[in-house]
Amino acid sequence: MFKFAFCFFSAFSMASPALLMRVVASAYSVAEKAATIVRNVMSAGDLGIVEKAGPNDLQTKADRLVQMSICASLARKFPKVTIIGEEELPNGDVSEDLIEVGHCEEILKKPCPTQYTGIKEEELVIWVDPLDGTKEYTPGLLDHVTVLIGIAYGGKAIAGVINQPYYNYEAGANAVLGRTIWGVLGMGAFGFQLTEAPAGKHIVVTTRSHSSALVNECITALNPDHVIRVGGAGNKIIQLIEGKASAYVFASPGCKKWDTCAPEAILHAVGGKITDIRGNSFQYNKEVKHMNSAGVLATLRNYDYYASRIPNTVKESLVP
Ligand code: AMP
Ligand code: MG
Ligand code: MG
């Protein structure tokens, strides 16, 4: 009798993975389709560039198509989830060829952390940056680009998917391009090799195209051994978890919730920390202000070292 009950229970639980795992498994496949769109738009050559707030705030055909693809695909499967995408697009039917119906079986096989097993659709908020690093995508700095799908519950980033459409581009014409990194708090992050930054060195990664006097003043105060200037919030978090940089420092408004949600979930899943420059954590409930007005400070290790060296003058210049 006990045996029967056990078998029944395990068969039942295999047939119905927790909602969070179904969302992450779908987001994984949706992000892979997004990456194909990003590559196809670039190889077709017509980027359809539109300036949003100005020349440093661009939107391309890839940003538009990918947002439609991600939001429509996830909304069809999870109609009660709140989905917030970066791009303001007219409402309308999304072409069927943009819809991804698949999911990653491997993710579905993993057990959901117990604290998240009871989550309901209406309690999730998904933050979508269809193409992070557009300013780098347009001149062809393709390895800076990522697709970001962040999943929040109770105002916290709890899971995320980062796709890098041009990962492996240096390996030559026949190389398979792209990879998908994903993670869930309490479970870990997958799709890359967690690597520590060189011990005893302070390597800061920051913006390439959105610098300011304050951004530079803050970096100078940290007295780093080396500064890496690359595009994309997703790209910079990858630099942290792969040991290329020891801190992501951006003392400026400009970065938004869709830039930080997926990266935050993945960084926190491997024991890192991300806050604004003043040390406040980010909130991801659907009512929250989109702009991360007080900048970004993120590390895999030694967060306190960097946080303690941010000058008060810099902190006071940034209002959350
Ligand atoms: P970056 O490190 O410059 O690539 O910025 C990370 C993310 O924040 C990207 O999505 C940028 O588009 C966005 N961002 C940062 N600063 C600005 C800004 N001044 N205007 C518009 N977007 C910005
Ligand atoms: Mg972005
Ligand atoms: Mg974007």
Side-chain angles (χ1 to χ4, degrees):
M1 183 58 201
F2 173 75
K3 198 171 174 193
F4 170 77
F6 177 77
C7 290
F8 175 78
F9 177 75
S10 56
F12 179 76
S13 61
M14 277 172 70
S16 343
L19 171 70
L20 178 64
M21 299 314 293
R22 288 190 287 117
V23 171
V24 175
S26 295
Y28 183 100
S29 298
V30 165
E32 296 217 309
K33 183 177 183 76
T36 305
I37 299 170
V38 170
R39 290 187 293 261
N40 287 349
V41 170
M42 181 51 77
S43 41
D46 174 16
L47 295 187
I49 300 170
V50 172
E51 282 187 16
K52 296 193 284 186
N56 285 332
D57 195 11
L58 305 179
Q59 184 196 71
T60 70
K61 187 176 175 182
D63 300 68
R64 295 187 286 277
L65 289 179
V66 168
Q67 176 155 314
M68 287 190 259
S69 172
I70 294 175
C71 295
S73 301
L74 293 175
R76 191 174 289 188
K77 280 195 185 175
F78 308 105
K80 293 186 200 151
V81 170
T82 300
I83 305 174
I84 304 173
E86 172 175 5
E87 310 305 335
E88 279 176 33
L89 300 175
N91 286 327
D93 288 342
V94 171
S95 158
E96 275 306 306
D97 60 343
L98 290 175
I99 303 289
E100 172 61 54
V101 296
H103 61 259
C104 172
E105 275 300 329
E106 285 306 306
I107 297 178
L108 276 195
K109 283 184 197 149
K110 295 194 185 256
C112 184
T114 49
Q115 66 271 35
Y116 302 136
T117 52
I119 295 179
K120 301 186 193 69
E121 272 193 33
E122 46 275 46
E123 295 174 321
L124 287 180
V125 182
I126 303 184
W127 293 90
V128 177
D129 187 342
L131 200 166
D132 180 46
T134 305
K135 183 72 183 170
E136 282 68 35
Y137 178 68
T138 55
L141 293 168
L142 301 176
D143 53 323
H144 299 217
V145 166
T146 59
V147 173
L148 304 175
I149 305 177
I151 298 159
Y153 166 67
K156 253 178 94 174
I158 62 161
V161 175
I162 301 181
N163 186 293
Q164 236 182 338
Y166 292 95
Y167 174 71
N168 214 20
Y169 83 108
E170 287 161 321
N174 295 326
V176 177
L177 283 181
R179 67 169 164 176
T180 309
I181 294 170
W182 67 278
V184 177
L185 278 193
M187 180 183 280
F190 309 90
F192 69 101
Q193 185 64 50
L194 187 71
T195 307
E196 304 290 329
K201 280 212 157 177
H202 300 295
I203 305 170
V204 168
V205 64
T206 193
T207 184
R208 188 193 74 95
S209 57
H210 300 102
S211 270
S212 67
L214 196 68
V215 164
N216 292 328
E217 181 190 331
C218 186
I219 292 169
T220 304
L222 297 172
N223 191 26
D225 296 297
H226 183 52
V227 180
I228 304 171
R229 294 183 185 271
V230 288
N235 182 30
K236 285 192 264 295
I237 294 297
I238 293 173
Q239 307 258 327
L240 295 182
I241 61 179
E242 293 197 317
K244 306 264 172 43
S246 28
Y248 169 12
V249 184
F250 183 55
S252 167
C255 196
K256 325 283 188 321
K257 290 296 180 299
W258 42 77
D259 291 303
T260 48
C261 187
E264 172 164 337
I266 287 168
L267 184 65
H268 284 178
V270 295
K273 183 164 175 179
I274 180 170
T275 64
D276 71 17
I277 283 289
R278 300 163 67 122
N280 302 305
S281 56
F282 296 123
Q283 299 301 311
Y284 296 97
N285 46 298
K286 61 179 178 241
E287 300 83 8
V288 82
K289 185 179 76 162
H290 294 164
M291 181 73 83
N292 295 324
S293 310
V296 179
L297 173 63
T299 66
L300 176 62
R301 310 280 181 234
N302 305 326
Y303 172 89
D304 292 345
Y305 173 89
Y306 293 95
S308 67
R309 281 162 179 77
I310 307 270
N312 280 334
T313 50
V314 171
K315 290 185 191 169
E316 284 154 14
S317 307
L318 294 167
V319 181

mmCIF file of all heavy atoms in Angstrom, residues 180-210:
data_model
loop_
_atom_site.group_PDB
_atom_site.id
_atom_site.type_symbol
_atom_site.label_atom_id
_atom_site.label_comp_id
_atom_site.label_asym_id
_atom_site.label_seq_id
_atom_site.Cartn_x
_atom_site.Cartn_y
_atom_site.Cartn_z
ATOM 1 N N THR A 180 23.053 29.520 -23.772
ATOM 2 C CA THR A 180 22.007 29.967 -22.856
ATOM 3 C C THR A 180 22.421 29.637 -21.432
ATOM 4 O O THR A 180 22.712 28.478 -21.117
ATOM 5 C CB THR A 180 20.664 29.286 -23.189
ATOM 6 O OG1 THR A 180 20.416 29.464 -24.581
ATOM 7 C CG2 THR A 180 19.523 29.901 -22.399
ATOM 8 N N ILE A 181 22.460 30.659 -20.616
ATOM 9 C CA ILE A 181 22.792 30.518 -19.194
ATOM 10 C C ILE A 181 21.479 30.691 -18.433
ATOM 11 O O ILE A 181 20.685 31.563 -18.787
ATOM 12 C CB ILE A 181 23.813 31.611 -18.799
ATOM 13 C CG1 ILE A 181 25.152 31.371 -19.526
ATOM 14 C CG2 ILE A 181 23.995 31.681 -17.286
ATOM 15 C CD1 ILE A 181 26.145 32.511 -19.391
ATOM 16 N N TRP A 182 21.238 29.869 -17.438
ATOM 17 C CA TRP A 182 20.000 30.034 -16.658
ATOM 18 C C TRP A 182 20.270 29.714 -15.204
ATOM 19 O O TRP A 182 21.253 29.023 -14.880
ATOM 20 C CB TRP A 182 18.875 29.152 -17.220
ATOM 21 C CG TRP A 182 19.108 27.674 -17.067
ATOM 22 C CD1 TRP A 182 19.866 26.886 -17.882
ATOM 23 C CD2 TRP A 182 18.607 26.820 -16.030
ATOM 24 N NE1 TRP A 182 19.873 25.591 -17.416
ATOM 25 C CE2 TRP A 182 19.106 25.523 -16.287
ATOM 26 C CE3 TRP A 182 17.781 27.022 -14.929
ATOM 27 C CZ2 TRP A 182 18.798 24.433 -15.473
ATOM 28 C CZ3 TRP A 182 17.477 25.932 -14.105
ATOM 29 C CH2 TRP A 182 17.983 24.655 -14.393
ATOM 30 N N GLY A 183 19.413 30.226 -14.354
ATOM 31 C CA GLY A 183 19.608 29.958 -12.928
ATOM 32 C C GLY A 183 18.343 30.201 -12.143
ATOM 33 O O GLY A 183 17.434 30.922 -12.584
ATOM 34 N N VAL A 184 18.281 29.561 -10.979
ATOM 35 C CA VAL A 184 17.162 29.734 -10.047
ATOM 36 C C VAL A 184 17.766 29.861 -8.648
ATOM 37 O O VAL A 184 18.665 29.086 -8.285
ATOM 38 C CB VAL A 184 16.200 28.513 -10.097
ATOM 39 C CG1 VAL A 184 15.077 28.672 -9.075
ATOM 40 C CG2 VAL A 184 15.629 28.305 -11.498
ATOM 41 N N LEU A 185 17.299 30.823 -7.874
ATOM 42 C CA LEU A 185 17.770 30.967 -6.488
ATOM 43 C C LEU A 185 17.529 29.677 -5.737
ATOM 44 O O LEU A 185 16.453 29.075 -5.850
ATOM 45 C CB LEU A 185 16.985 32.067 -5.769
ATOM 46 C CG LEU A 185 17.385 33.520 -5.956
ATOM 47 C CD1 LEU A 185 16.685 34.374 -4.908
ATOM 48 C CD2 LEU A 185 18.873 33.704 -5.902
ATOM 49 N N GLY A 186 18.499 29.247 -4.983
ATOM 50 C CA GLY A 186 18.337 28.012 -4.207
ATOM 51 C C GLY A 186 18.654 26.770 -5.011
ATOM 52 O O GLY A 186 18.604 25.655 -4.478
ATOM 53 N N MET A 187 18.975 26.931 -6.288
ATOM 54 C CA MET A 187 19.282 25.780 -7.143
ATOM 55 C C MET A 187 20.664 25.926 -7.769
ATOM 56 O O MET A 187 21.417 24.968 -7.893
ATOM 57 C CB MET A 187 18.213 25.693 -8.237
ATOM 58 C CG MET A 187 18.400 24.540 -9.187
ATOM 59 S SD MET A 187 17.162 24.578 -10.479
ATOM 60 C CE MET A 187 15.790 23.876 -9.661
ATOM 61 N N GLY A 188 21.015 27.149 -8.173
ATOM 62 C CA GLY A 188 22.297 27.387 -8.838
ATOM 63 C C GLY A 188 22.089 27.916 -10.239
ATOM 64 O O GLY A 188 20.955 28.210 -10.641
ATOM 65 N N ALA A 189 23.183 28.037 -10.972
ATOM 66 C CA ALA A 189 23.109 28.538 -12.354
ATOM 67 C C ALA A 189 23.928 27.630 -13.250
ATOM 68 O O ALA A 189 24.927 27.043 -12.826
ATOM 69 C CB ALA A 189 23.598 29.981 -12.416
ATOM 70 N N PHE A 190 23.490 27.511 -14.497
ATOM 71 C CA PHE A 190 23.977 26.479 -15.404
ATOM 72 C C PHE A 190 24.249 27.070 -16.794
ATOM 73 O O PHE A 190 23.752 28.135 -17.130
ATOM 74 C CB PHE A 190 22.929 25.353 -15.506
ATOM 75 C CG PHE A 190 22.489 24.869 -14.144
ATOM 76 C CD1 PHE A 190 21.398 25.458 -13.497
ATOM 77 C CD2 PHE A 190 23.197 23.882 -13.485
ATOM 78 C CE1 PHE A 190 21.014 25.052 -12.224
ATOM 79 C CE2 PHE A 190 22.817 23.464 -12.205
ATOM 80 C CZ PHE A 190 21.719 24.043 -11.574
ATOM 81 N N GLY A 191 25.031 26.330 -17.586
ATOM 82 C CA GLY A 191 25.287 26.760 -18.960
ATOM 83 C C GLY A 191 26.585 27.532 -19.109
ATOM 84 O O GLY A 191 26.847 28.128 -20.153
ATOM 85 N N PHE A 192 27.413 27.523 -18.062
ATOM 86 C CA PHE A 192 28.718 28.199 -18.102
ATOM 87 C C PHE A 192 29.568 27.582 -16.993
ATOM 88 O O PHE A 192 29.053 26.830 -16.165
ATOM 89 C CB PHE A 192 28.551 29.711 -17.852
ATOM 90 C CG PHE A 192 28.136 30.012 -16.444
ATOM 91 C CD1 PHE A 192 29.070 30.456 -15.508
ATOM 92 C CD2 PHE A 192 26.835 29.792 -16.020
ATOM 93 C CE1 PHE A 192 28.702 30.680 -14.184
ATOM 94 C CE2 PHE A 192 26.470 30.010 -14.703
ATOM 95 C CZ PHE A 192 27.397 30.458 -13.791
ATOM 96 N N GLN A 193 30.847 27.920 -16.990
ATOM 97 C CA GLN A 193 31.756 27.418 -15.957
ATOM 98 C C GLN A 193 32.050 28.534 -14.966
ATOM 99 O O GLN A 193 32.685 29.523 -15.337
ATOM 100 C CB GLN A 193 33.050 26.945 -16.639
ATOM 101 C CG GLN A 193 34.044 26.301 -15.710
ATOM 102 C CD GLN A 193 33.518 25.012 -15.092
ATOM 103 O OE1 GLN A 193 33.013 24.129 -15.795
ATOM 104 N NE2 GLN A 193 33.608 24.921 -13.774
ATOM 105 N N LEU A 194 31.544 28.406 -13.753
ATOM 106 C CA LEU A 194 31.802 29.433 -12.738
ATOM 107 C C LEU A 194 33.314 29.534 -12.496
ATOM 108 O O LEU A 194 33.976 28.533 -12.247
ATOM 109 C CB LEU A 194 31.094 29.081 -11.423
ATOM 110 C CG LEU A 194 31.162 30.153 -10.339
ATOM 111 C CD1 LEU A 194 30.304 31.358 -10.699
ATOM 112 C CD2 LEU A 194 30.721 29.594 -8.992
ATOM 113 N N THR A 195 33.841 30.753 -12.620
ATOM 114 C CA THR A 195 35.297 30.963 -12.532
ATOM 115 C C THR A 195 35.567 32.172 -11.651
ATOM 116 O O THR A 195 34.890 33.200 -11.776
ATOM 117 C CB THR A 195 35.864 31.216 -13.955
ATOM 118 O OG1 THR A 195 35.440 30.154 -14.814
ATOM 119 C CG2 THR A 195 37.393 31.277 -13.947
ATOM 120 N N GLU A 196 36.551 32.056 -10.760
ATOM 121 C CA GLU A 196 36.908 33.182 -9.888
ATOM 122 C C GLU A 196 37.775 34.168 -10.671
ATOM 123 O O GLU A 196 38.607 33.771 -11.474
ATOM 124 C CB GLU A 196 37.703 32.669 -8.678
ATOM 125 C CG GLU A 196 36.994 31.597 -7.862
ATOM 126 C CD GLU A 196 35.787 32.137 -7.094
ATOM 127 O OE1 GLU A 196 35.801 33.314 -6.703
ATOM 128 O OE2 GLU A 196 34.821 31.364 -6.886
ATOM 129 N N ALA A 197 37.643 35.444 -10.352
ATOM 130 C CA ALA A 197 38.526 36.462 -10.931
ATOM 131 C C ALA A 197 39.923 36.293 -10.332
ATOM 132 O O ALA A 197 40.063 35.702 -9.257
ATOM 133 C CB ALA A 197 37.964 37.847 -10.623
ATOM 134 N N PRO A 198 40.956 36.794 -11.027
ATOM 135 C CA PRO A 198 42.323 36.635 -10.507
ATOM 136 C C PRO A 198 42.443 37.171 -9.083
ATOM 137 O O PRO A 198 42.024 38.298 -8.800
ATOM 138 C CB PRO A 198 43.165 37.482 -11.475
ATOM 139 C CG PRO A 198 42.345 37.586 -12.725
ATOM 140 C CD PRO A 198 40.911 37.522 -12.305
ATOM 141 N N ALA A 199 42.995 36.366 -8.189
ATOM 142 C CA ALA A 199 43.093 36.740 -6.767
ATOM 143 C C ALA A 199 43.974 37.981 -6.616
ATOM 144 O O ALA A 199 44.992 38.127 -7.288
ATOM 145 C CB ALA A 199 43.676 35.581 -5.978
ATOM 146 N N GLY A 200 43.547 38.866 -5.739
ATOM 147 C CA GLY A 200 44.362 40.034 -5.413
ATOM 148 C C GLY A 200 44.334 41.147 -6.449
ATOM 149 O O GLY A 200 45.014 42.151 -6.308
ATOM 150 N N LYS A 201 43.565 40.956 -7.514
ATOM 151 C CA LYS A 201 43.487 42.010 -8.545
ATOM 152 C C LYS A 201 42.109 42.624 -8.522
ATOM 153 O O LYS A 201 41.115 41.920 -8.331
ATOM 154 C CB LYS A 201 43.728 41.401 -9.928
ATOM 155 C CG LYS A 201 45.175 41.165 -10.230
ATOM 156 C CD LYS A 201 45.442 41.321 -11.707
ATOM 157 C CE LYS A 201 46.907 41.656 -11.923
ATOM 158 N NZ LYS A 201 47.247 41.749 -13.298
ATOM 159 N N HIS A 202 42.040 43.916 -8.766
ATOM 160 C CA HIS A 202 40.756 44.596 -8.811
ATOM 161 C C HIS A 202 40.469 44.990 -10.250
ATOM 162 O O HIS A 202 41.067 45.926 -10.777
ATOM 163 C CB HIS A 202 40.765 45.802 -7.872
ATOM 164 C CG HIS A 202 41.016 45.395 -6.458
ATOM 165 N ND1 HIS A 202 40.131 44.606 -5.752
ATOM 166 C CD2 HIS A 202 42.068 45.592 -5.641
ATOM 167 C CE1 HIS A 202 40.621 44.360 -4.564
ATOM 168 N NE2 HIS A 202 41.795 44.940 -4.463
ATOM 169 N N ILE A 203 39.616 44.214 -10.876
ATOM 170 C CA ILE A 203 39.279 44.449 -12.283
ATOM 171 C C ILE A 203 37.829 44.919 -12.336
ATOM 172 O O ILE A 203 36.908 44.175 -11.960
ATOM 173 C CB ILE A 203 39.464 43.166 -13.123
ATOM 174 C CG1 ILE A 203 40.894 42.628 -12.944
ATOM 175 C CG2 ILE A 203 39.152 43.442 -14.591
ATOM 176 C CD1 ILE A 203 41.110 41.249 -13.539
ATOM 177 N N VAL A 204 37.635 46.142 -12.775
ATOM 178 C CA VAL A 204 36.295 46.726 -12.819
ATOM 179 C C VAL A 204 35.774 46.657 -14.241
ATOM 180 O O VAL A 204 36.476 47.005 -15.191
ATOM 181 C CB VAL A 204 36.323 48.188 -12.319
ATOM 182 C CG1 VAL A 204 35.019 48.908 -12.633
ATOM 183 C CG2 VAL A 204 36.589 48.224 -10.817
ATOM 184 N N VAL A 205 34.527 46.197 -14.391
ATOM 185 C CA VAL A 205 33.868 46.231 -15.698
ATOM 186 C C VAL A 205 32.769 47.294 -15.634
ATOM 187 O O VAL A 205 32.061 47.411 -14.632
ATOM 188 C CB VAL A 205 33.346 44.827 -16.119
ATOM 189 C CG1 VAL A 205 32.257 44.302 -15.202
ATOM 190 C CG2 VAL A 205 32.865 44.832 -17.562
ATOM 191 N N THR A 206 32.690 48.103 -16.680
ATOM 192 C CA THR A 206 31.714 49.191 -16.686
ATOM 193 C C THR A 206 31.209 49.443 -18.108
ATOM 194 O O THR A 206 31.557 48.726 -19.042
ATOM 195 C CB THR A 206 32.318 50.471 -16.057
ATOM 196 O OG1 THR A 206 31.259 51.407 -15.808
ATOM 197 C CG2 THR A 206 33.370 51.108 -16.966
ATOM 198 N N THR A 207 30.389 50.491 -18.229
ATOM 199 C CA THR A 207 29.781 50.821 -19.508
ATOM 200 C C THR A 207 30.825 51.182 -20.569
ATOM 201 O O THR A 207 31.872 51.739 -20.260
ATOM 202 C CB THR A 207 28.790 51.992 -19.325
ATOM 203 O OG1 THR A 207 28.139 52.258 -20.553
ATOM 204 C CG2 THR A 207 29.498 53.260 -18.846
ATOM 205 N N ARG A 208 30.495 50.893 -21.814
ATOM 206 C CA ARG A 208 31.318 51.346 -22.931
ATOM 207 C C ARG A 208 30.757 52.634 -23.524
ATOM 208 O O ARG A 208 31.490 53.512 -23.941
ATOM 209 C CB ARG A 208 31.356 50.263 -24.023
ATOM 210 C CG ARG A 208 32.340 50.537 -25.162
ATOM 211 C CD ARG A 208 32.104 49.597 -26.342
ATOM 212 N NE ARG A 208 30.902 49.978 -27.059
ATOM 213 C CZ ARG A 208 30.881 50.765 -28.126
ATOM 214 N NH1 ARG A 208 31.991 51.254 -28.619
ATOM 215 N NH2 ARG A 208 29.728 51.081 -28.699
ATOM 216 N N SER A 209 29.417 52.739 -23.529
ATOM 217 C CA SER A 209 28.794 53.807 -24.317
ATOM 218 C C SER A 209 27.940 54.775 -23.496
ATOM 219 O O SER A 209 27.329 55.670 -24.057
ATOM 220 C CB SER A 209 27.923 53.183 -25.413
ATOM 221 O OG SER A 209 26.961 52.329 -24.844
ATOM 222 N N HIS A 210 27.866 54.579 -22.170
ATOM 223 C CA HIS A 210 27.048 55.477 -21.344
ATOM 224 C C HIS A 210 27.863 56.032 -20.174
ATOM 225 O O HIS A 210 27.381 56.104 -19.045
ATOM 226 C CB HIS A 210 25.784 54.759 -20.843
ATOM 227 C CG HIS A 210 24.889 54.266 -21.949
ATOM 228 N ND1 HIS A 210 24.838 52.958 -22.354
ATOM 229 C CD2 HIS A 210 24.023 54.919 -22.753
ATOM 230 C CE1 HIS A 210 23.974 52.823 -23.354
ATOM 231 N NE2 HIS A 210 23.467 53.995 -23.613
#
